[in-house]
Each structure stands twice: as structure tokens, then as C-alpha cells.
Amino acid sequence: MSDDGRPQRPLPECLTRFLSDPVPQALPARPVPHPGPRAVGTARPNRALRIFLAWALAYNVLGFTIIVLLWQSLR
């Protein structure tokens, strides 16, 4: 909806400075340091996984204990 009676206002320079150069020069990519080869079987689970596995084991042991106690109380 342009009104032909009013002249167009020019866009500010901060919006148009990249229009003249649409492909800015990218910074050269730095090589990603790659760790050396690891010996097979030396991978350790991280701390969060160990905590989760310990929690899951305790949860299952507690649940099994409750079920055994309830089953013995019904005898």
C-alpha cells in the first residue's frame, strides 16, 4: 500500500551496508584438533551415567524389597 503522494524515505546505512557485498568474506576456518587414537576398551562412562545407573539399581532393589515384604505379609 504505497501512497504515490509521499516520497519514499531512504533506508538507513545500517540496513543497506551489506547489500552491496552480499557474500561477506568469511574468516578462515581453524583446524579442529583431533585427539589421538585411544586404546580399545579404555572408554569410561561419564559421571552422569554412573549416577543414573546407581540410582536405577537402588530404585529396583528398593522396589523388589517392598514387593517381597508385601508378598510375605500375605502368607
Side-chain angles (χ1 to χ4, degrees):
M1 293 188 182
S2 65
D3 187 11
D4 293 333
R6 291 195 302 195
Q8 293 282 332
R9 289 183 6 188
L11 292 172
E13 189 268 335
C14 65
L15 295 176
T16 60
R17 67 177 150 195
F18 296 114
L19 293 177
S20 62
D21 186 18
V23 182
Q25 296 296 324
L27 295 174
R30 287 190 249 162
V32 177
H34 186 66
R38 295 177 67 171
V40 177
T42 60
R44 293 182 0 191
N46 62 10
R47 184 174 179 218
L49 180 60
R50 287 186 299 199
I51 291 172
F52 174 76
L53 290 175
W55 176 85
L57 179 66
Y59 183 82
N60 285 324
V61 168
L62 180 66
F64 184 72
T65 304
I66 291 172
I67 290 172
V68 168
L69 290 174
L70 287 172
W71 181 66
Q72 286 187 354
S73 70
L74 291 174
R75 291 177 130 216

